[in-house]
Amino acid sequence: MALSDKVNILTRIYTRRPTPALETSFKNFIQEELRELETSIRSIADASPQVSENAPSNPRKGMVRYAVTPWDPLSNGYQGLVVYNGTAWVQV
């Protein structure tokens, strides 16, 4: 079963495609390359640990956050690294 980036944190690697030979398709080529770069950068940002005072709106399995007040992901006053395991935040 393939992993879904809607449920799991997955980083996307950007791979440059060959430049098209025709000038007319160059604009579309650039737009698509920029879209691919944006997707790759966003996936890396989502996968990197971040300081957060609020829970992410769409947590995905593998997300790592450094929880600070007022966010209390463990409901025990803990502030520090937590990871989302797919159903709950757990202390690292």
Side-chain angles (χ1 to χ4, degrees):
M1 183 164 115
L3 294 174
S4 165
D5 63 354
K6 302 276 188 249
V7 178
N8 302 288
I9 286 293
L10 305 174
T11 56
R12 290 191 41 165
I13 297 171
Y14 168 75
T15 304
R16 182 176 40 94
R17 296 178 300 154
T19 306
L22 300 174
E23 250 184 69
T24 56
S25 61
F26 193 69
K27 179 181 175 184
N28 291 337
F29 169 77
I30 293 296
Q31 288 175 337
E32 184 58 30
E33 289 298 294
L34 290 173
R35 234 184 323 273
E36 287 294 319
L37 281 167
E38 179 182 21
T39 300
S40 180
I41 291 168
R42 187 179 299 118
S43 75
I44 293 168
D46 282 346
S48 65
Q50 300 172 27
V51 175
S52 182
E53 60 185 17
N54 299 308
S57 57
N58 293 323
R60 294 181 309 219
K61 185 188 252 182
M63 273 189 168
V64 177
R65 296 293 183 262
Y66 189 95
V68 295
T69 303
W71 185 30
D72 188 9
L74 306 180
S75 300
N76 64 3
Y78 175 75
Q79 291 188 33
L81 281 177
V82 291
V83 64
Y84 192 70
N85 68 8
T87 56
W89 291 95
V90 294
Q91 183 176 345
V92 174

